[in-house]
Amino acid sequence: MCAIFLQKMHYYSELHADEALYEALRQWRFKQASTESKAAFIVATNRLLRMISNFRPQTEEELLQLPGFGGTKAAAYGAEILALTAAYERHTSFPLSWVEQEVPEADFQAWLLKEQERKRKAEMDKLDIKRRLLEVISRGERIDELQEQTKMDRRSLLMWMEELDRDGYDLEPYIEQMLEQVPETEREQAWQAFEQQGDCYLKPILQAVYKQQEFSSKDAERVYEWLRLLRMKFRRLNSSVKPGEAS
């Protein structure tokens, strides 16, 4: 698909998304992201959910015609999404080549300008968040204090820290400081679980460390916090190991 056609699909979807279906998809995404310990946008972006709520695919083949929905997502989430869309009547058809003719050019160009401004502002906001977060991390403040300083929820804070780590900022001293609060035996068990099971999902790591132990939602959130920090350390160490050096 060419870039202009994809943008017109996004534009059309914003105008015609079914809000009830969109909300049902958002609720599904929230539960899925919680189950997988992923950020919601990794499961599916808002734009993808709006396209689904607008075009209402009824088969996996139709799902695959939506930009951002590839074979991996289809295998993981296709059946659940199609179960939701099946409950809503569809008034359009696949393939989606008709969309381009339905979008008034002048309106589309005005939307493009607004999109460019929105992206510019979002990028500036992102840089500001990173700057403020680095400032409070440099002072060694705890996550509770970070939350107070930045006015962000704890999960978002950890996600931003992961992004800073991927950007190459040295967070290791701060991560070590935070992990000192966790019993050494639990850290060692989690590290072994990362080595055995990989670092894609945190839930299996939690289960490996705590077996069948029950947690309140708040306690589970705190465990996931230090597991995210340990995963950052694990990924940093393993990304620096050259082929042939691993034991």
Side-chain angles (χ1 to χ4, degrees), residues 171-213:
L171 304 184
E172 188 169 350
Y174 183 77
I175 290 172
E176 291 291 352
Q177 177 186 335
M178 293 298 102
L179 288 174
E180 287 177 359
Q181 306 167 46
V182 181
E184 185 176 357
T185 55
E186 294 178 18
R187 282 181 278 153
E188 290 176 349
Q189 290 173 350
W191 192 274
Q192 292 173 1
F194 280 130
E195 290 178 328
Q196 294 168 2
Q197 302 186 44
D199 58 20
C200 289
Y201 303 113
L202 292 178
K203 188 173 183 179
I205 309 302
L206 181 149
Q207 292 172 336
V209 176
Y210 297 105
K211 312 305 180 189
Q212 301 301 316
Q213 185 174 338

Side-chain angles (χ1 to χ4, degrees), residues 241-247:
V241 175
K242 299 177 181 178
E245 291 183 347
S247 58

Side-chain angles (χ1 to χ4, degrees), residues 56-101:
R56 303 170 207 172
Q58 301 296 311
T59 67
E60 184 174 310
E61 181 183 3
E62 291 177 349
L63 264 177
L64 291 171
Q65 293 181 46
L66 300 180
F69 207 101
T72 300
K73 284 191 186 296
Y77 311 132
E80 293 181 26
I81 289 175
L82 292 174
L84 290 172
T85 60
Y88 292 79
E89 184 179 0
R90 187 169 74 188
H91 303 288
T92 58
S93 62
F94 283 78
L96 301 172
S97 53
W98 54 267
V99 172
E100 195 160 12
Q101 303 301 318

Side-chain angles (χ1 to χ4, degrees), residues 16-164:
H16 301 285
D18 184 293
E19 292 302 324
L21 177 52
Y22 178 66
E23 183 58 30
L25 289 164
R26 286 182 68 252
Q27 292 299 319
W28 163 81
R29 181 182 62 179
F30 175 79
K31 293 177 182 177
Q32 192 65 42
S34 298
T35 298
E36 297 183 26
S37 296
K38 286 182 176 180
F41 73 87
I42 294 177
V43 175
T45 63
N46 287 341
R47 269 191 168 172
L48 179 56
L49 296 187
R50 285 209 172 275
M51 281 197 288
I52 294 172
S53 71
N54 175 36
F55 299 117
R56 303 170 207 172
Q58 301 296 311
T59 67
E60 184 174 310
E61 181 183 3
E62 291 177 349
L63 264 177
L64 291 171
Q65 293 181 46
L66 300 180
F69 207 101
T72 300
K73 284 191 186 296
Y77 311 132
E80 293 181 26
I81 289 175
L82 292 174
L84 290 172
T85 60
Y88 292 79
E89 184 179 0
R90 187 169 74 188
H91 303 288
T92 58
S93 62
F94 283 78
L96 301 172
S97 53
W98 54 267
V99 172
E100 195 160 12
Q101 303 301 318
E102 294 294 320
V103 174
E105 191 62 28
D107 293 347
F108 174 65
Q109 291 300 326
W111 175 82
L112 276 182
L113 289 174
K114 290 181 181 178
E115 277 293 286
Q116 291 169 2
E117 177 59 23
R118 181 191 62 79
K119 289 179 181 178
R120 186 195 66 78
K121 185 178 183 304
E123 187 60 30
M124 294 298 293
D125 290 345
K126 182 176 179 179
L127 291 173
D128 183 60
I129 289 172
K130 287 184 176 182
R131 177 188 58 77
R132 290 189 291 124
L133 190 54
L134 285 169
E135 287 176 355
V136 292
I137 287 175
S138 70
R139 296 195 291 268
E141 297 176 356
R142 297 180 181 276
I143 290 180
D144 288 336
E145 295 165 326
L146 286 176
Q147 189 175 12
E148 176 61 28
Q149 291 281 341
T150 61
K151 308 304 180 185
M152 287 187 283
D153 62 80
R154 299 174 73 91
R155 183 181 178 88
S156 295
L157 277 172
L158 270 293
M159 288 170 55
W160 278 111
M161 288 177 62
E162 287 175 326
E163 183 159 340
L164 287 170

